[in-house]
Amino acid sequence: MSLPNCPQCNSEYVYQDQDMLICPECAHEWNPNEVVVDEDALIIKDANGTQLQEGDKVTLAKDLKVKGSSQVLKIGTKATIKRFVDGDHDIDCKVDGAGEMMLKSQFVKKA
């Protein structure tokens, strides 16, 4: 019988006590049958309130000026979400014709 490593410290010395698994090194206890919910995951919604995921294709909902440049991204410009970050500009994406850029989720719509 093989038990999984501890999710806290990655120790291999885990033992079972009834339904719970216990790590003797860090004293972490968990039930392997429970569904783990990631509380640190960011929930980002677009201008219409649709939840966005990494890898989604989005379009700009309005014209946006690029800071530090005279370039303007026109409404309808497509972008691909690479990842979400904490902060004011919460979407790290690749914008067609402009390259890598950080955008605010309130200015994009899911394509």
Side-chain angles (χ1 to χ4, degrees), residues 86-103:
D86 254 344
D88 190 27
H89 292 75
D90 50 5
I91 300 175
D92 186 11
C93 62
K94 179 172 171 115
V95 179
D96 291 351
E100 305 293 323
M101 199 165 292
M102 300 285 290
L103 295 174

Side-chain angles (χ1 to χ4, degrees), residues 31-94:
N31 186 343
N33 299 325
E34 286 182 359
V35 177
V36 177
V37 176
D38 187 8
E39 297 171 0
D40 296 332
L42 294 174
I43 297 175
I44 306 293
K45 296 186 178 182
D46 68 1
N48 295 330
T50 305
Q51 186 172 343
L52 298 172
Q53 301 290 328
E54 292 179 4
D56 280 350
K57 308 276 189 209
V58 294
T59 58
L60 296 181
K62 66 179 264 182
D63 290 348
L64 299 174
K65 293 180 184 176
V66 178
K67 188 173 184 178
S69 171
S70 61
Q71 184 180 11
V72 176
L73 300 175
K74 297 291 184 182
I75 187 170
T77 302
K78 296 180 183 177
T80 303
I81 298 173
K82 289 177 31 182
R83 66 186 177 111
F84 297 120
V85 294
D86 254 344
D88 190 27
H89 292 75
D90 50 5
I91 300 175
D92 186 11
C93 62
K94 179 172 171 115

